[in-house]
Amino acid sequence: MSLPHAILTALLEKPSSGLELARRFDRSIRFFWSATHQQIYRELGRLEEAGLIRALPAAHPARGQKKEYEVLPAGRDELAGWVGTVEDPRPIRDPLLLRMRAAAVVGGRGLAGELRRHLALHEAQLAEYTDIERRDFPPGRVADEDRLRHLVLRAGIELETFWTQWLREALDEVGTMDPA
């Protein structure tokens, strides 16, 4: 996935200014694709230059007014083409897993504290996802776009569930090595 495609997706969901888009990234898209506000603004300029989006005309032009962007047909075509492309899964690159591997050869001193910290972070993320699910996807939602968005959220819930279960198991194992 790339930032331009994440931006095109968000703008197709709702035309937005750069600031609104950055806030939407912070509230939802960041869960699976992160970008700084600076990266978003830079990419908006590139997408506009490429003819994939345009700034909507302002109702009352004023100096310093926020530009609101919408996706042009070429941008929709680009996104639709990208949706159908083939892409291999990315391998996991997680420093915690590497530290676990290193602990196997040098000992796990201090590792239990880090595992507990990670467990708390994953439990908090899982709680946030389940709150979002309860709030945004009550039983009976049937619109296709809602079903697909819910499926993305369910992936996050399942991943966090995996991590919390795995971290508890890892803590049990490390507990026999590191009484910390």
Side-chain angles (χ1 to χ4, degrees):
M1 180 181 200
S2 66
L3 181 56
H5 297 110
I7 290 173
L8 288 171
T9 299
L11 289 176
L12 278 169
E13 291 173 342
K14 180 184 178 216
S16 304
S17 69
L19 181 60
E20 291 166 342
L21 193 58
R23 287 179 179 153
R24 288 175 54 213
F25 261 72
D26 289 345
R27 282 191 318 267
S28 63
I29 295 173
R30 74 168 165 89
F31 293 127
F32 54 91
W33 191 262
S34 63
T36 66
H37 291 207
Q38 209 172 35
Q39 289 171 315
I40 291 169
Y41 281 104
R42 204 170 29 245
E43 198 57 51
L44 283 169
R46 287 185 192 125
L47 290 168
E48 188 173 27
E49 190 175 295
L52 301 178
I53 65 170
R54 73 175 179 126
L56 293 168
H60 305 287
R63 189 176 152 100
Q65 185 175 15
K66 294 184 287 188
K67 287 184 190 179
E68 189 166 280
Y69 295 92
E70 72 174 354
V71 177
L72 295 171
R76 181 179 281 278
D77 291 346
E78 165 62 27
L79 189 60
W82 176 77
V83 166
T85 61
V86 174
E87 191 171 342
D88 292 337
R90 293 183 180 204
I92 295 175
R93 288 181 52 147
D94 190 309
L96 180 62
L97 296 176
L98 184 56
R99 284 200 303 270
M100 294 284 292
R101 183 74 184 252
V105 292
V106 298
R109 188 181 55 210
L111 190 57
E114 182 66 350
L115 290 170
R116 283 190 290 275
R117 188 179 77 80
H118 276 253
L119 177 58
L121 291 170
H122 285 286
E123 287 173 335
Q125 189 64 69
L126 178 58
E128 185 173 0
Y129 285 166
T130 55
D131 287 346
I132 291 169
E133 183 178 41
R134 234 183 331 276
R135 181 191 71 220
D136 293 350
F137 300 100
R141 278 237 173 140
V142 293
D144 283 345
E145 64 188 32
D146 283 341
R147 289 188 357 229
L148 293 176
R149 287 181 184 128
H150 188 207
L151 195 57
V152 171
L153 179 61
R154 291 293 314 153
I157 289 170
E158 295 298 325
L159 284 169
E160 294 304 329
T161 299
F162 161 78
W163 279 113
T164 57
Q165 291 171 347
W166 183 85
L167 284 159
R168 286 184 189 107
E169 181 181 329
L171 276 163
D172 288 344
E173 291 294 324
V174 169
T176 61
M177 297 171 23
D178 181 88

